[in-house]
Amino acid sequence: MSTSSTRPPEGRYGRSSDERADRTLKVVGAVLSVLMLGLIGWFGYYYVAQNEISAEMIGFDTAEDSVKVHLEVHKDAGATGYCTVRSQSEDGAEVGRADFRFDKDATRIDEVVTLRTTSRATSAELVGCHAD
C-alpha cells in the first residue's frame, strides 16, 4: 500500500507563492530597518551636535512677589541664547514666566536670576533653553 503526497515534486514548478512572499517581506523589512537606523542616527546627531546651549535648575527660593532661580548654563564658547523659566502658584496657575539671556563667552555660567511673579509662587520650572 502506498500513500500519495499532495506536494509537487521539488524544483519542478518553480518557487511557491509563500517563498516569494517571504523573500519580499525580508527585503521590505531590511529596507525599513536601514531607514529607521538612519533616522535615529540623524536625530541623535542633531541633538548632540546642534544643541549649543543647555541648562539645569539647581534650586529656587520663593518670596511674596518673586522667585530667585539658581541656573547652571552650559553652552558653546561664543554661543548666545536664552533660557525660559516659569513659576506656578499653589493651585497650579502660572504666576510668572520670563526669558533670561546668556551672552557671556564662558562655556559654563552659574547664575541666580530673579523672576517677578503676580502672586506668591510655590514652584519654579526651567522650561527650556534656545540658542540664537
Side-chain angles (χ1 to χ4, degrees):
M1 185 175 225
S2 70
T3 60
S4 65
S5 173
T6 58
R7 291 181 16 188
E10 286 288 324
R12 185 167 183 182
Y13 298 106
R15 288 191 195 168
S16 71
S17 62
D18 288 341
E19 290 174 348
R20 283 191 295 273
D22 288 347
R23 184 170 190 275
T24 302
L25 285 175
K26 287 178 185 177
V27 169
V28 168
V31 168
L32 288 177
S33 297
V34 168
L35 288 174
M36 183 61 79
L37 285 174
L39 188 65
I40 290 171
W42 184 77
F43 280 125
Y45 171 77
Y46 180 79
Y47 179 77
V48 172
Q50 304 298 325
N51 195 5
E52 297 176 349
I53 184 169
S54 65
E56 179 181 0
M57 185 174 71
I58 305 299
F60 65 91
D61 186 29
T62 61
E64 193 62 38
D65 62 347
S66 66
V67 177
K68 291 185 187 284
V69 181
H70 183 186
L71 295 176
E72 184 176 301
V73 180
H74 299 276
K75 63 183 193 68
D76 294 345
T80 61
Y82 63 94
C83 292
T84 304
V85 178
R86 78 176 187 155
S87 183
Q88 294 177 311
S89 64
E90 189 172 357
D91 64 355
E94 186 175 282
V95 294
R97 177 184 287 255
D99 295 332
F100 297 98
R101 293 206 57 79
F102 297 98
D103 297 331
K104 298 177 186 174
D105 285 335
T107 58
R108 182 182 171 277
I109 301 169
D110 195 358
E111 192 170 325
V112 176
V113 296
T114 302
L115 172 65
R116 298 282 175 207
T117 59
T118 56
S119 64
R120 181 143 188 105
T122 58
S123 69
E125 175 187 10
L126 175 64
V127 177
C129 295
H130 305 280
D132 291 335

